[in-house]
Amino acid sequence: SSFGQLPEPDFVFSLHNIPKLPAGSILLKNDIFTASVKSWAIKLEGKTAHAASPEHGVNPAVAISELIQKTQALIQPDPENADFQLITPIHINMGELAYGISAGGAEVHFTIRTWQNDRIYALTKTLEGLLETICQKHGLKVSWEWLEEFYANQNHPEAMKWLRQVAGNHEFNIQELSSPFKFGEDFGLFTTKFKGAMFGLGAGENLPELHNPDYDFPDGIAPIGIQMFESLIREITISS
């Protein structure tokens, strides 16, 4: 690299504010904190025909219906289960608004989620095989790509020890989570390479959900996050 040797941190830490939990609370979870997530963009190519004679073309609609039904059958929705996996249909675009034409092509998009990075890899292979089988059955050409990959945040035991110590020293309201969060987070890439942990910072029980248009970050919790990071730096530096 032209920037020279990249730093090798002793620990990496991150926080994410979480609405619907008490403002200023510190949310801790051993092992996995957020999910492994990937997005799947699929293109199906058939053949248009007159809507009065769809048998002269190859319409992707039935294949899409079958794909959605079979992917939904693979879901394990319980977040308390180690085998948790979620497959969410996101977008479908098929044919055009011309009532005399039987559709000849489509796009279908999903996101998939598991708790483990190796499990999501296995799920991608299962889904690719399922898609190829369905498209072969229905005479469709198919291509796909995997997008927006997020690695699961794997909280390291040593990093968790420091989080508990620092939050306890400040007498913050510690809440132990029973299951990880189902959203994906960029920080998961860091915890695949370094000892680290992500923790949550409660944003308030009456706040709208994340990514809701009415959501507004409560500035009053920011000093607690700052104190957590500052104390982590001080305590770990002193100990070393």
Side-chain angles (χ1 to χ4, degrees), residues 32-105:
I32 304 296
F33 191 80
T34 60
S36 178
V37 184
K38 293 176 81 169
S39 299
W40 195 22
I42 301 163
K43 289 188 178 180
L44 304 172
E45 184 182 341
K47 183 182 177 184
T48 57
H50 198 289
S53 305
E55 69 275 11
H56 294 157
V58 181
N59 190 315
V62 176
I64 293 170
S65 174
E66 188 174 334
L67 179 65
I68 290 173
Q69 288 180 330
K70 289 189 173 177
T71 55
Q72 298 311 285
L74 295 173
I75 289 174
Q76 303 283 353
D78 182 3
E80 304 278 352
N81 192 326
D83 293 336
F84 163 82
Q85 57 186 30
L86 202 57
I87 305 164
T88 308
I90 297 299
H91 175 72
I92 298 172
N93 184 11
M94 189 189 82
E96 55 186 293
L97 281 173
Y99 294 99
I101 300 174
S102 173

Side-chain angles (χ1 to χ4, degrees), residues 122-133:
L123 182 58
T124 63
K125 296 306 170 190
T126 298
L127 291 172
E128 288 170 358
L130 177 63
L131 175 63
E132 287 185 318
T133 300

Side-chain angles (χ1 to χ4, degrees), residues 4-198:
Q5 184 66 35
L6 293 173
E8 283 284 333
D10 298 311
F11 291 95
V12 290
F13 292 97
S14 177
L15 74 79
H16 199 297
N17 82 95
I18 306 291
K20 305 302 180 190
L21 287 164
S25 56
I26 303 300
L27 315 173
L28 301 180
K29 171 73 176 62
N30 290 335
D31 198 26
I32 304 296
F33 191 80
T34 60
S36 178
V37 184
K38 293 176 81 169
S39 299
W40 195 22
I42 301 163
K43 289 188 178 180
L44 304 172
E45 184 182 341
K47 183 182 177 184
T48 57
H50 198 289
S53 305
E55 69 275 11
H56 294 157
V58 181
N59 190 315
V62 176
I64 293 170
S65 174
E66 188 174 334
L67 179 65
I68 290 173
Q69 288 180 330
K70 289 189 173 177
T71 55
Q72 298 311 285
L74 295 173
I75 289 174
Q76 303 283 353
D78 182 3
E80 304 278 352
N81 192 326
D83 293 336
F84 163 82
Q85 57 186 30
L86 202 57
I87 305 164
T88 308
I90 297 299
H91 175 72
I92 298 172
N93 184 11
M94 189 189 82
E96 55 186 293
L97 281 173
Y99 294 99
I101 300 174
S102 173
E107 280 193 25
V108 188
H109 298 246
F110 296 86
T111 63
I112 68 173
R113 296 161 201 272
T114 68
W115 291 147
Q116 303 90 2
N117 295 320
D118 55 350
R119 185 175 178 84
I120 207 166
Y121 175 78
L123 182 58
T124 63
K125 296 306 170 190
T126 298
L127 291 172
E128 288 170 358
L130 177 63
L131 175 63
E132 287 185 318
T133 300
I134 291 172
C135 289
Q136 188 173 18
K137 172 184 172 183
H138 292 281
L140 293 160
K141 295 179 182 177
V142 62
S143 61
W144 67 82
E145 58 181 329
W146 292 99
L147 308 164
E148 297 186 355
E149 183 172 11
F150 295 92
Y151 292 87
N153 273 288
Q154 178 77 45
N155 284 348
H156 193 278
E158 286 184 56
M160 291 304 299
K161 181 195 77 171
W162 284 113
L163 283 177
R164 288 193 170 89
Q165 179 175 318
V166 164
N169 289 347
H170 283 287
E171 298 185 345
F172 291 145
N173 174 13
I174 297 174
Q175 304 225 351
E176 298 283 348
L177 303 173
S178 62
S179 61
F181 291 104
K182 294 186 281 185
F183 56 79
E185 248 302 317
D186 293 327
F187 188 69
L189 183 59
F190 286 82
T191 60
T192 65
K193 298 180 181 298
F194 309 110
K195 291 188 291 188
M198 173 174 268

